[in-house]
Amino acid sequence: MNHRPEDLVTLFNRLFLESTGTELVRGGDEPEYLPAGVAGRYAQVIFAHGYFASALHEISHWCIAGERRRQLPDYGYWYCPDGRTREQQRSFEQVEVKPQAIEWLFATACGSRFHISVDNLDGGGAIDEDGFRRNVYRQACRYLDQGLPVRAEHFLESLMDFYGTGADEFCQWRERHAWLADESHRQPHHFTTESEAYDASS
């Protein structure tokens, strides 16, 4: 299956450019979100290097950012690059569960590979990579069972239509990764209450 970032740009902008005043833009070294006014007429979801996976990841973040957050550059979200301390990494993993869960579902709808990202090679890696992966998987399952945020649902439907995927792909995905829901192999994790970095709804 051919995975071109240009197709994601077309699908996203067809859905959201006029309805939400937001466009998906191919960028350079770093992904970024710029609200309208800062970016120009439209808010911009900017993905890095023209990478397909980066586009899915940045779209996922946008899909759960609430209205107030979407008025702020990078949603007003504190971000520390690779090389984070344990406390910084713990905060990073906490706020990444929902966007990475949505990204995983998007990737499944596209028939593309998804990689869990702890994004901290220079800082010793994840606090608990196994626990993080399990939390992302379980959140993705909750989204399938209970529904996604509205914009994520619309984009998922658009991806499924474009790539010709459907319920069978998600059933197979669940079966392949069902071991992640096995409590007998669960590792202790250190997540606390969910961060307010994302208002997570409309």
Side-chain angles (χ1 to χ4, degrees), residues 23-94:
E23 61 181 334
L24 182 64
V25 177
R26 179 176 182 152
D29 290 342
E30 296 294 335
E32 190 174 15
Y33 171 77
L34 298 175
V38 175
R41 179 182 177 189
Y42 298 111
Q44 292 184 344
V45 177
I46 303 169
F47 63 100
H49 299 294
Y51 293 154
F52 191 88
S54 178
L56 290 183
H57 185 78
E58 297 311 313
I59 293 167
S60 300
H61 274 281
W62 178 79
C63 282
I64 64 168
E67 184 176 357
R68 182 175 63 87
R69 291 287 174 181
R70 298 197 305 273
Q71 309 307 311
L72 303 172
D74 281 337
Y75 316 111
Y77 172 49
W78 164 88
Y79 178 75
C80 183
D82 197 346
R84 290 182 285 273
T85 66
R86 286 183 63 81
E87 286 305 313
Q88 290 169 338
Q89 181 64 21
R90 183 174 292 117
S91 296
F92 173 85
E93 291 176 22
Q94 185 176 321

Side-chain angles (χ1 to χ4, degrees), residues 22 42 51 53 67 69 82 89 91 104 120 138 144 146 163 170 175 183:
T22 307
Y42 298 111
Y51 293 154
E67 184 176 357
R69 291 287 174 181
D82 197 346
Q89 181 64 21
S91 296
W104 203 346
N120 195 33
R138 290 168 183 154
L144 287 177
Q146 301 171 16
Y163 289 99
F170 290 98
E175 290 171 1
E183 291 291 338

Side-chain angles (χ1 to χ4, degrees), residues 130-171:
D130 183 68
F132 180 56
R133 181 177 286 104
R134 290 177 187 279
N135 276 279
V136 172
Y137 172 76
R138 290 168 183 154
Q139 180 61 59
C141 289
R142 282 193 290 273
Y143 279 138
L144 287 177
D145 294 338
Q146 301 171 16
L148 286 90
V150 173
R151 283 169 288 132
E153 183 71 37
H154 290 167
F155 193 66
L156 184 70
E157 291 171 353
S158 181
L159 292 174
M160 292 168 66
D161 183 62
F162 184 82
Y163 289 99
T165 54
D168 286 348
E169 279 74 19
F170 290 98
C171 288

